[in-house]
Amino acid sequence: MKLPLSWLGEFVTLEADGEELCRRLTVAGLEVEAVEHLKPAFLDVYTAEVRAVERHPNADRLSVCDVDAGVAGRYRVVCGAPNVRAGMKAALARVGARLAAGAHGSGSGRIEEAPPLEAAVIRGVRSEGMLCSELELALSKDHEGILELPADTPPGVALSEVLGLPDTVLDIAITPNRGDCLSVYGLAREVAALFDAPLRQPHFLELEAAPAGSERDRVRVRIEAPELCPRYAALPMSGISIRPSPIWLRRRLELCGMRGLNNVVDITNYVMLELGQPLHAFDASQIREREIVVRRAERDSAFTTLDGVERRLNASDLVIADRERVLAIAGVMGGRNSEVSETTTAIILESAYFEPASIARTARRLGLRSESSYRFERGIDRAGQANALRRAAELVQQLAGGRVAAPLVDLEPRPAAERRITVDLGGVAAALGTRLPDEEIKRRLRAVGVTVTLLDPNRIEAVPPSFRPDLNETADLVEEVARLKGLSEIPAELPVRRAGVLPPNRDRALARKLRDLLTGCGLVEARTLAFVAPEDNRHFPSLQASRPLVVTNPLSSELSEMRASLLPGLLGALRFNLNREASAVHLFEIGKVFGEMDEGARESARVAGVSFGDYAYGGIGQAPIKSGFFTVKGILEACLSALLPQGAVSYEPIESPQAPYLHPGRAATIKCGGELIGLVGELHPAEALRLEISAPCSLFELDVTLLAVHSSKLYHTIVPPPRFPAVRRDVALVVNKTLAAGEVLKAFWTGNAPMLESVELFDVFEGGNLGDEKKSVAVACRYRSADRTLTDEEVNRTHTGLVDQVARKLGASLRS
């Protein structure tokens, strides 16, 4: 927001200099990003009245003017401007004056000083000065005619004084929550509060005595979307004369970064910059039956805005329309079909409050940001619509000859909810970290427009003003109290806090341990996007039955659903590396997956991994160990054995519908306590072909939430090395060929053997004299006691009893 100090001075008078003003604004949260000091690009130029204009005797396009510059003298000037006429007020550069460089025809408008102006004889007539255009004064690039000053401008006054030069313009960064400061008057309120200075109110035209107007002049308003437009006001005006705005108004617009168009449009922009309320002027003759309808664009698809571009409308966009067609995109931009033009004689001024989210959504989708949408998005004064119309009507009367044709229409189908905040004065001190007198707290709140009522000696009731939608709770008011004098008044002391030990977080501990284990097994952690294409969710369904969670406003069609599995992202990372000639890739990820259940959206923690290519060095003269099903299963066994009780995990052959992306003969489900906690296997050849992966790829995915339920070894405990030796006993059992080796190990763990320390599978044999239906499974059992050395007799007795239990349970026999 650009703030000319000359404009600010109309509302508040300061004794502080510009540097102090910038410092106080910045400390209060309104950072001054730049300061521009403007100086006049001319010297010795005065206001003057053209008393008479005569035709040049020797040139058809030149005039000889009698110019009265008051106390500065009376001069005869030759002028070629087409708009010069008797009685007009203009800018006179006397002999000796200095104008902007390029004033004599280059059109450059540079502000370097040129040589002093000299008297000249033009076609036989002596000219004692120059009537200047805006270009020659470096005010704008307009050189079509001389600068015309307001009719009440006294002659003989320095032009720099009339134009408010020199001037200073502050460029202030406005945070998104401070839409009330996107105006000169809004910033004046802030300055008055910061410096405890009196604030002068803008002047508003009295509309109470407005004419009743004929039925033809009246305007009717219908609001069909009150949730998006809770307030709408309109004022019809007639007798309009469209012409260029006076220099003072155009000058202020330019200082704030806007250009002048015509007097009516410039007035709406001027009031927006002054009060922060965006306005729009419709050509009344273009509104069918003078009825305005505020509605959604449900039945409209295209609309041409003021910039001449056809915009595609969305059914939810809010528009301003008449009975037949759209007239404007609400809060964003008007339309070509109702714009004010040179032929306009009657207008309807619009002033409304639109919901910020609706305007922001429409402007962002259309890529159409305007000064109006910028203010609506940040929240304008909920009660400032009528006053803005009164201010604009006053300026239209002064500058466009207009008059109010019919009463103001002001509809508010949804009044703003009243905000009443109870503030504990003692709590303010606790929040600030310093004690302020109660009267000072109330004074500061009143300074920013808050109505304060004393409830009891320790509490007040605060009602924020309508122009501050960001004040909604006690913390907001405490911030106002603190920033008015700056945070420097708060002592730099650390708050006294009682130290304590937080309880362990099992989820974080499990994730940390999983990360350490998988990294130790040679995998590299990856992070992938949570958004995937619908095709990915179809090929890689969730471990648990759920529907895909669709993104309402996706970045693209390839990212329109939330992932149901971590595997698509990891496989994408694998392909990315393979495309860059990587020969071995081993990745894992710990993250969340998402799904739609009957009770609503749900997210779950998962850990997944992919392994491709050489996994380990095979030794001298031997080939590397390739990644495969048993490699990844070994990684999982190493990890799960460090998290779960011995024998708690079982691997079972997978059924195709559970994971169609896995190889049916090289995949398994992972269960704990009979509950499915994950899958492991090699990628199905069809999927590998689809993903352009040319060699076997192994992968796994585990439900971290279920893993946390069963895990019992999350936290590291220091265990001293055993003092007594272990005793190993090997046994080979003949079992049915269809029995999984894991079931054999599980049977040993669940047997009654308290001294059993470990059970390891070291051999599986088929064929020979075992027949086609049997196989031999050999395991090594280790026994140890924590308090003594075991004897062979007690180890043999325990081992024999355990083997008998297992044999009976599995229907097995000892291999001879």
Side-chain angles (χ1 to χ4, degrees):
M1 175 69 192
K2 292 190 175 183
L3 175 65
L5 295 189
S6 58
W7 200 349
L8 176 70
E10 291 190 2
F11 303 111
V12 63
T13 301
L14 290 180
E15 297 181 358
D17 58 14
E19 184 177 347
E20 176 63 12
L21 174 61
C22 293
R23 188 190 71 81
R24 293 289 297 276
L25 284 171
T26 301
V27 168
L30 300 169
E31 181 185 0
V32 179
E33 294 184 320
V35 179
E36 183 180 5
H37 297 286
L38 303 176
K39 297 180 180 179
F42 50 82
L43 185 64
D44 203 22
V45 178
Y46 292 87
T47 62
E49 180 180 356
V50 180
R51 291 297 184 91
V53 178
E54 299 177 357
R55 184 175 178 179
H56 194 290
N58 302 318
D60 293 337
R61 297 187 178 182
L62 297 179
S63 303
V64 180
C65 306
D66 179 15
V67 181
D68 181 6
V71 296
R74 196 156 180 163
Y75 304 92
R76 193 181 192 198
V77 177
V78 177
C79 180
N83 66 327
V84 65
R85 68 183 187 279
M88 74 178 297
K89 301 295 178 64
L92 172 66
R94 305 184 302 176
V95 173
R98 295 178 183 272
L99 300 178
H104 301 288
S106 72
S108 65
R110 298 188 307 272
I111 60 173
E112 294 88 355
E113 289 183 349
L117 186 66
E118 298 178 355
V121 178
I122 303 175
R123 295 288 183 93
V125 177
R126 178 182 173 84
S127 181
E128 299 170 329
M130 175 189 291
L131 294 176
C132 303
S133 69
E134 294 182 23
L135 174 66
E136 292 158 343
L137 298 170
L139 297 177
S140 75
K141 295 182 179 180
D142 185 8
H143 60 87
E144 296 298 323
I146 60 175
L147 169 64
E148 183 171 359
L149 298 173
D152 58 353
T153 304
V157 180
L159 182 64
S160 59
E161 181 180 338
V162 173
L163 298 179
L165 293 172
D167 201 354
T168 300
V169 179
L170 308 184
D171 193 351
I172 303 175
I174 307 298
T175 54
N177 67 316
R178 293 304 307 274
D180 63 295
C181 289
L182 288 172
S183 66
V184 175
Y185 184 65
L187 289 170
R189 281 192 302 251
E190 284 294 301
V191 172
L194 291 173
F195 289 89
D196 197 18
L199 178 68
R200 293 184 286 275
Q201 300 290 326
H203 185 268
F204 301 114
L205 179 68
E206 295 295 334
L207 294 178
E208 285 72 12
S214 65
E215 186 64 26
R216 181 169 56 89
D217 293 326
R218 288 174 175 270
V219 61
R220 294 175 294 279
V221 176
R222 187 168 78 250
I223 301 176
E224 295 182 355
E227 69 280 6
L228 301 182
C229 177
R231 187 170 188 178
Y232 190 95
L235 180 67
M237 299 191 73
S238 58
I240 303 297
S241 176
I242 301 298
R243 53 179 177 262
S245 299
I247 181 63
W248 66 267
L249 191 148
R250 285 186 284 118
R251 182 68 177 160
R252 284 189 169 176
L253 292 180
E254 289 168 2
L255 291 180
C256 292
M258 303 186 73
R259 64 184 181 91
L261 296 174
N262 59 56
N263 50 359
V264 170
V265 174
D266 292 350
I267 286 169
T268 61
N269 289 332
Y270 182 88
V271 174
M272 177 184 67
L273 292 172
E274 184 177 66
L275 302 180
Q277 170 67 52
L279 301 177
H280 186 69
F282 297 103
D283 186 330
S285 66
Q286 301 300 318
I287 299 179
R288 305 290 192 269
E289 301 185 32
R290 297 179 74 86
E291 182 175 17
I292 291 177
V293 182
V294 186
R295 60 175 174 82
R296 288 183 170 87
E298 296 173 347
R299 57 181 179 270
D300 304 284
S301 59
F303 176 67
T304 302
T305 48
L306 284 171
D307 55 4
V309 178
E310 185 177 86
R311 312 282 179 178
R312 306 302 299 179
L313 298 178
N314 188 290
S316 61
D317 291 335
L318 186 67
V319 297
I320 311 300
D322 59 17
R323 289 190 175 184
E324 300 177 6
R325 57 184 181 164
V326 174
L327 303 173
I329 302 174
V332 180
M333 187 173 287
R336 292 288 293 271
N337 57 5
S338 61
E339 68 176 322
V340 173
S341 65
E342 295 179 355
T343 61
T344 299
T345 59
I347 62 172
I348 294 177
L349 289 173
E350 169 196 270
S351 179
Y353 180 90
F354 301 121
E355 281 300 323
S358 171
I359 302 303
R361 183 168 54 249
T362 298
R364 187 178 300 112
R365 185 181 58 79
L366 295 175
L368 183 61
R369 295 299 180 92
S370 63
E371 292 287 342
S372 295
S373 68
Y374 183 71
R375 286 163 174 79
F376 279 123
E377 289 176 19
R378 283 153 179 77
I380 61 171
D381 187 351
R382 188 66 168 77
Q385 289 68 50
N387 277 343
L389 285 181
R390 292 166 59 200
R391 175 64 171 146
E394 181 181 43
L395 292 173
V396 170
Q397 285 187 353
Q398 295 174 2
L399 306 179
R403 65 182 182 277
V404 177
L408 169 73
V409 177
D410 188 4
L411 300 183
E412 191 175 15
R414 289 199 174 188
E418 189 177 39
R419 292 169 291 164
R420 294 183 177 275
I421 306 170
T422 301
V423 181
D424 183 351
L425 296 175
V428 174
L432 291 178
T434 187
R435 182 75 187 182
L436 293 176
D438 292 349
E439 287 304 316
E440 176 65 11
I441 294 174
K442 290 184 280 187
R443 186 195 69 79
R444 294 188 188 184
L445 291 177
R446 292 191 181 103
V448 295
V450 177
T451 301
V452 177
T453 304
L454 186 65
L455 297 178
D456 56 53
N458 297 317
R459 295 186 308 141
I460 60 173
E461 182 181 72
V463 179
S466 61
F467 56 82
R468 290 298 301 273
D470 59 313
L471 303 182
N472 295 295
E473 57 184 32
T474 301
D476 300 328
L477 300 177
V478 172
E479 181 184 4
E480 293 298 299
V481 172
R483 73 180 185 84
L484 282 187
K485 291 297 181 181
L487 300 179
S488 58
E489 71 174 351
I490 300 175
E493 298 177 355
L494 290 175
V496 178
R497 295 187 181 275
R498 186 173 298 172
V501 179
L502 293 175
N505 188 307
R506 287 182 58 84
D507 294 337
R508 290 183 182 177
L510 177 58
R512 183 168 55 249
K513 193 159 186 177
L514 275 172
R515 187 173 289 109
D516 292 342
L517 291 168
L518 291 170
T519 303
C521 289
L523 276 63
V524 177
E525 185 172 10
R527 294 280 185 179
T528 64
L529 285 178
F531 305 105
V532 297
E535 183 182 7
D536 289 332
N537 277 338
R538 287 197 301 272
H539 285 279
F540 296 91
S542 175
L543 284 175
Q544 298 173 344
S546 64
R547 299 181 298 274
L549 188 61
V550 180
V551 180
T552 303
N553 53 340
L555 298 174
S556 67
S557 59
E558 290 77 18
L559 302 174
S560 59
E561 291 185 359
M562 304 296 288
R563 64 188 178 190
S565 168
L566 299 181
L567 293 174
L570 290 174
L571 289 171
L574 170 62
R575 289 183 58 192
F576 181 89
N577 284 274
L578 294 180
N579 290 339
R580 284 149 185 80
E581 300 185 359
S583 60
V585 180
H586 310 284
L587 303 173
F588 78 93
E589 181 177 8
I590 302 173
K592 290 185 177 180
V593 298
F594 308 86
E596 184 77 25
M597 310 291 283
D598 292 338
E599 61 272 15
R602 178 181 177 182
E603 61 180 38
S604 305
R606 296 281 192 273
V607 57
V610 297
S611 183
F612 177 89
D614 297 345
Y615 176 72
Y617 177 63
I620 299 175
Q622 296 183 357
I625 299 174
K626 296 286 185 180
S627 176
F629 170 77
F630 291 105
T631 307
V632 174
K633 182 172 178 287
I635 293 173
L636 287 178
E637 287 178 338
C639 294
L640 296 178
S641 64
L643 296 169
L644 304 173
Q646 293 287 354
V649 177
S650 63
Y651 298 86
E652 299 178 5
I654 198 167
E655 297 179 8
S656 297
Q658 285 183 283
Y661 55 87
L662 291 178
H663 192 299
R666 300 174 186 172
T669 60
I670 307 171
K671 294 185 177 180
C672 184
E675 187 174 19
L676 177 69
I677 64 171
L679 301 169
V680 59
E682 291 186 10
L683 189 64
H684 195 289
E687 279 297 314
L689 182 63
R690 184 181 69 87
L691 297 173
E692 299 179 356
I693 299 175
S694 58
C697 174
S698 302
L699 39 84
F700 68 87
E701 186 167 24
L702 297 173
D703 189 322
V704 176
T705 304
L706 295 177
L707 197 59
V709 173
H710 296 283
S711 60
S712 60
K713 305 178 183 179
L714 285 184
Y715 304 102
H716 296 285
T717 55
I718 305 300
V719 179
R723 296 174 54 195
F724 302 98
V727 180
R728 170 172 169 167
R729 292 291 184 267
D730 296 345
V731 61
L733 296 177
V734 178
V735 298
N736 291 331
K737 192 174 183 178
T738 57
L739 184 67
E743 292 296 321
V744 177
L745 297 177
K746 184 178 180 180
F748 274 92
W749 282 117
T750 56
N752 184 19
M755 295 183 294
L756 183 66
E757 184 180 71
S758 67
V759 180
E760 298 175 6
L761 175 71
F762 67 86
D763 183 59
V764 176
F765 175 77
E766 298 178 3
N769 58 355
L770 297 178
D772 296 334
E773 303 296 329
K774 300 291 184 178
K775 65 180 177 182
S776 171
V777 178
V779 299
C781 301
R782 284 186 172 82
Y783 301 90
R784 191 195 305 268
S785 172
D787 54 5
R788 69 186 189 282
T789 299
L790 297 176
T791 63
D792 286 341
E793 181 181 354
E794 56 185 335
V795 170
N796 292 337
R797 184 171 58 251
T798 300
H799 180 67
T800 301
L802 178 60
V803 171
D804 290 342
Q805 289 183 49
V806 172
R808 286 194 302 272
K809 184 175 183 179
L810 301 179
S813 61
L814 291 177
R815 183 181 177 188
S816 55

